[in-house]
Structure formats: C-alpha cells, structure tokens
Amino acid sequence: MQRRILITAAGAAGVLALTACGGGGGGGGGDLETRGDITIWYSNNEAEIGWGKKMVEAWNADHPDEQVKAQEIPAGASSEEVIGAAITAGNAPCLVFNTSPAAVPGFQRQGGLVDLSTFEDGDDYITARSGDLADQYRSEDGDFYQLPWKSNPVMIFYNKALFEKAGLDPENPKLSTYDEFLETARTLKEKGVSEYAINPAPTSEFFQSWFDFYPLYAAQTGGTQLLEDGRATFDDDNGKAVADFWRTLYEEKLAGNEQYQGDAFADGYAAMAIVGPWAISVYGDSIEWGAVPVPTKDGTSAGDTWTFSDAKNVGMFTACKSKGTAWDVLKFATSEEQDGEWLKATGQMPLRQDLTGTYPDYFADNPAYEQFGDQAARTVEVPNVVGSVEIWQAFRDGYSKSVIFGETPVDQFLSDTAAEVDKLASAG
C-alpha cells in the first residue's frame, strides 16, 4: 500500500495544476467515423503492460489497415502532467488506459477529451457494460468523457498471525462495527503485536482521504459521494460518525500520525490496512492475511457494504485523427473477452456488471479475489466536478488538522470544510 501511495503522490502536483486549466469542454466533432492507425498509452505497471501488448497484438492481427501502436505513458513528474502537456501541444494519443477520474474535469476543460456519448452507440455501450455504476462517471453535462474501465475496491486487510498472537480469532475477526473495530484495535495495541492497529498514510496529499475517510463514508451512507448536486454531503450524522471513529483511533494511538517510511502492513508495523485487490499479488504468501469489508457504525452485511472504487478509466483525446478506429479499439479492449484477460493478468476488477457471474471460472480458481469481485458492484467514485482536486485538498487539510492531529473539534471541521467545499464547487 505504501509503495502505491508514494507512486500516486508523484501525480498530485500534476493533477492539481490541470484542474485550473481553462479551455473548451472537449467534444465529438464531425470526424467520429475516420479510420486509420492510432497510438495508445497505458501505465508502466508490468502486469498491465503484459495485457496491453497481447490486446494490441490481437487487434492488429485482424485489422491490417487500422494498426495500433502502443507504449507506456512517457516519463514525467506524473502521468496526469504528461497527458495535460500532450493536450496543450496537440499531440495526445488517441486513447490513454490510465486516466484518473479526478483529472477528467481538468482534461475536459482543456478541450482535450472526446465526448464518448456523441458516438452513436456511446452511451448504450458504456451503460450496458457498467450498469448503474457508470452514472458516477458522467460529466456535469450528462455525457461520458471517460469510459469506466477498472477498479480496485478497497477493503480491510488484516494480518492473521498478529491477530492470533493477540488472542483474537483470525478467521472471524470482530471488525464490522465501530465499537468492535476499536475493541479489536485496542487488543492489538495492548498485546504489543504491532506498533499500530492500522496506519493509513497521515500525509497531506489530496488523495489520501480516499484511503481512510472516504471508504468508510461510502459504507456508512450506503453509497453517497462527497458532493451531490454541487454541495457537500458530509456535514451530517454520518460524516460525524466516520470522523469521530478515526479521531478515536488517532487519539488512543491505535493509528499513527507520523509517516512510516515503508509498507506498514508488510513490515508488521500495523496489523491492518485499507487496500484493494492489487495487494493480493503484492503480499502474496509473505503474509497470512484476511480481508473484510470496511466497518460501519452499527454493522452492515458484506453484501450491502459500499466502499471507494480506486478506479482508473480510459479517455479518448481530441488530437486523435482516427476516432472511429479508436472507438472500435476501446470497445474491443473492454469487451467481455478482453475484460476476462485483464482480470487474469492483473487481478484488478473490470467495471462490468455481474462480474462474478460473468467470470465464474476465474473466481472459482482464484477465491482470494472473489470478495473483491463482489465488492466491485458497490463502489463510490470521486465526484466528477470541476475543481475536484482543490475540493479534496480542502477536505484533506481540514481532516488532517481535526481528525489526525486533534487541533480543531470534529464538528467545526465538518461545518467549516463543508462551507469551503460548497464555495469551491460553486466557483467551478
């Protein structure tokens, strides 16, 4: 988890700069049927590159006149910064298979993204594939400027060996309610099996709240985003319950407020972590781990618990000369067959309806991933609004001061930050 956070942190400055960019809102244009060779970018993750190469090879074998050239996103301070610079220069690729939902409003304001809803089957294809979850990825005009692609729904990982050492049941941990979670955390601390019960990064980057407050808020509210209809939602009893829970963890030193240099879960520094299915291959057999849904105040069944998506999507860029080909490639790359290949190659969850029912053999052969496949149906995305990063930074600043460091009361944090978020959202 720490390794992933440090990589993501490099992108913070780039995303922040992009959200302030002016320009148009992207669009379709009259060249949606143009065909020819295209270029695509994907991330520098080894498993994703492996899938990408095979996907492109399969496409190219059947389309000699519409060849795809694929490469990793060029090196830079962040992928978002590189994409934004390419939009400005007019040389962005046709497709980027690593588009952060938080960056989409900025790219859109630059005039860099194609409105996928302007393709004749655009809306129908996206909604048929992703179902109701797709609506979270619509822009403020109601259209799709990103294709919902894949998610890493976060859950609570726990170290079974440390739980057993503390006298806790490693197969049936009591973690579903706030009270149970706190009692379990206190036991872990008292028995001295780890420095902290759980240790999410306490640093100030805007995205860090996606891995502490936001998953629990999604669960506590049954799927509510941080903003709805342009206004903050978290200044209520649910937001207070989540913030108070985390404040208790920090106040009792069950979580640490200083950054740990390393992977706290892998090193046994913390007995629990909030992570997605990517962690299964990272930790492998080095840790005997279990996974449960994030807690709620009074407890929620696993089948009804929501969480944060940690998604990456696909954007089509207006510099593309062959948008007809790009759209067909995008549909090919997110087809049922290719989504299955993606799942096998990466263990990340395609944003597809009935995931476990669509790929029963995969989940039967890989039971560790099954609960993440089920959880993928109940995920909350960051709000698709202009100024998204500034809004999250304002939230993180208030949260850090109040919840992590205890410098202001939780009620004051919620009301003051909600007012600031409302102001930022209205300015966008």
Side-chain angles (χ1 to χ4, degrees):
M1 181 175 174
Q2 187 69 24
R3 180 173 62 87
R4 180 181 177 88
I5 287 171
L6 291 174
I7 291 170
T8 309
V15 181
L16 187 58
L18 288 170
T19 59
C21 292
D31 57 351
L32 298 183
E33 296 302 319
T34 306
R35 300 186 177 279
D37 297 347
I38 68 169
T39 297
I40 69 172
W41 290 351
Y42 39 64
S43 82
N44 58 7
N45 175 280
E46 183 178 351
E48 296 186 31
I49 292 170
W51 167 83
K53 287 181 176 178
K54 289 181 179 179
M55 181 274 291
V56 168
E57 183 179 321
W59 170 272
N60 285 345
D62 292 334
H63 300 85
D65 297 326
E66 299 174 272
Q67 294 285 284
V68 175
K69 178 183 177 182
Q71 67 177 72
E72 298 174 38
I73 292 177
S78 72
S79 59
E80 290 79 15
E81 186 174 276
V82 171
I83 294 167
I87 292 172
T88 300
N91 59 8
C94 284
L95 301 170
V96 176
F97 287 79
N98 194 44
T99 303
S100 168
V104 164
F107 294 157
Q108 188 179 339
R109 291 193 86 179
Q110 284 185 276
L113 288 171
V114 174
D115 181 351
L116 301 179
S117 296
T118 57
F119 287 96
E120 185 176 358
D121 60 343
D123 264 45
D124 288 344
Y125 178 77
I126 291 171
T127 56
R129 179 175 175 270
S130 298
D132 292 341
L133 284 181
D135 287 336
Q136 298 183 82
Y137 299 96
R138 292 184 186 273
S139 289
E140 291 182 319
D141 63 2
D143 287 356
F144 289 108
Y145 293 79
Q146 59 186 315
L147 181 138
W149 179 35
K150 53 100 168 182
S151 70
N152 277 279
V154 300
M155 302 179 72
I156 301 289
F157 256 41
Y158 66 95
N159 186 317
K160 289 186 176 182
L162 294 182
F163 269 57
E164 188 169 17
K165 189 176 179 181
L168 299 166
D169 186 345
E171 302 304 325
N172 296 287
K174 293 184 177 181
L175 295 169
S176 63
T177 71
Y178 292 168
D179 285 344
E180 285 181 348
F181 193 106
L182 289 168
E183 283 305 309
T184 294
R186 289 168 184 138
T187 298
L188 291 164
K189 182 77 171 179
E190 288 165 4
K191 297 295 184 179
V193 300
S194 58
E195 185 70 22
Y196 294 108
I198 192 168
N199 199 57
T203 50
S204 61
E205 298 92 352
F206 72 90
F207 55 83
Q208 296 295 6
S209 291
W210 302 347
F211 303 99
D212 47 35
F213 178 88
Y214 203 37
L216 273 67
Y217 184 68
Q220 181 63 25
T221 59
T224 298
Q225 291 185 304
L226 196 78
L227 280 83
E228 291 190 349
D229 299 322
R231 295 189 64 83
T233 60
F234 55 84
D235 185 17
D236 63 2
D237 289 343
N238 289 318
K240 179 173 171 51
V242 176
D244 281 343
F245 168 74
W246 280 111
R247 179 66 204 128
T248 300
L249 284 164
Y250 285 109
E251 189 173 33
E252 296 186 17
K253 301 190 185 309
L254 305 172
N257 61 13
E258 294 184 4
Q259 184 176 9
Y260 179 73
Q261 300 299 327
D263 186 319
F265 187 69
D267 295 344
Y269 188 74
M272 293 181 283
I274 297 181
V275 295
W278 59 267
I280 294 174
S281 62
V282 170
Y283 298 127
D285 297 328
S286 63
I287 298 174
E288 188 181 2
W289 55 266
V292 295
V294 299
T296 57
K297 185 176 186 295
D298 298 317
T300 304
S301 66
D304 292 323
T305 302
W306 288 69
T307 192
F308 171 58
S309 60
D310 194 17
K312 283 291 192 298
N313 295 334
V314 188
M316 183 187 299
F317 292 81
T318 50
C320 182
K321 305 296 186 189
S322 300
K323 295 183 179 68
T325 296
W327 177 238
D328 287 345
V329 170
L330 182 50
K331 290 188 291 183
F332 174 78
T334 56
S335 63
E336 183 174 324
E337 179 181 0
Q338 285 299 325
D339 277 348
E341 293 300 316
W342 168 266
L343 187 58
K344 287 189 287 185
T346 69
Q348 299 179 54
M349 305 293 127
L351 277 164
R352 172 176 284 277
Q353 294 192 78
D354 188 23
L355 193 59
T356 54
T358 303
Y359 306 105
D361 292 344
Y362 172 82
F363 288 107
D365 293 340
N366 299 275
Y369 289 90
E370 187 169 10
Q371 57 188 325
F372 288 97
D374 178 70
Q375 182 67 76
R378 297 175 304 281
T379 56
V380 173
E381 189 48 74
V382 299
N384 191 340
V385 295
V386 174
S388 175
V389 175
E390 290 91 338
I391 286 168
W392 280 105
Q393 189 63 65
F395 181 87
R396 187 63 179 178
D397 291 345
Y399 179 89
S400 296
K401 188 175 182 180
S402 174
V403 176
I404 297 177
F405 296 106
E407 296 173 8
T408 57
V410 165
D411 287 344
Q412 181 182 338
F413 146 61
L414 292 170
S415 60
D416 289 354
T417 305
E420 186 174 359
V421 165
D422 287 348
K423 184 177 179 180
L424 288 168
S426 64

